[in-house]
């Protein structure tokens, strides 16, 4: 999961510190997750999902499917309708 959290940070152009502040995950906790010293807890997942509601839980938890949940509006914007 640490690589997927890092991917969210990169996709959103966020530093580790700004991501921690946005999600209300403590900086040391996020650092420990990203370095592999500890694993993300359910609380961490909930904080990320609360701040980034279009992130797919299947992707975040298991690496399955697309990173983002696609709805009709996002599809329309992508194809220029």
């Amino acid at each position: 999961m640490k690589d997927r959290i890092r991917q969210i940070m990169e996709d959103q152009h966020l530093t580790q510190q700004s991501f921690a502040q946005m999600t209300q995950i403590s900086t040391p906790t996020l650092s420990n997750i990203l370095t592999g010293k500890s694993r993300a807890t359910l609380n961490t997942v909930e904080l990320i999902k609360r701040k980034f509601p279009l992130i797919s839980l299947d992707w975040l938890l298991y690496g399955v499917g697309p990173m983002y949940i696609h709805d009709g509006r996002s599809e329309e914007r992508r194809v220029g309708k």
Side-chain angles (χ1 to χ4, degrees):
M1 185 183 306
K2 69 179 179 174
D3 293 331
R4 291 186 293 279
I5 292 172
R6 192 177 310 277
Q7 190 174 343
I8 295 168
M9 291 169 48
E10 290 172 5
D11 189 66
Q12 297 294 318
H13 307 288
L14 297 170
T15 64
Q16 188 172 321
Q17 184 174 354
S18 61
F19 184 83
Q21 288 173 340
M22 284 182 78
T23 57
Q24 299 180 339
I25 298 169
S26 76
T27 304
T29 297
L30 181 59
S31 178
N32 286 340
I33 291 168
L34 295 176
T35 59
K37 292 180 182 176
S38 64
R39 292 184 176 189
T41 64
L42 183 56
N43 183 56
T44 303
V45 171
E46 288 173 344
L47 291 170
I48 293 169
K49 184 65 175 164
R50 189 175 304 141
K51 186 61 185 175
F52 302 99
L54 292 181
I55 295 289
S56 164
L57 272 179
D58 285 338
W59 177 83
L60 182 58
L61 291 170
Y62 310 112
V64 175
M67 180 177 183
Y68 291 101
I69 298 168
H70 298 290
D71 61 13
R73 292 179 307 223
S74 62
E75 284 293 317
E76 290 174 5
R77 281 191 299 264
R78 217 169 331 126
V79 293
K81 293 185 177 179

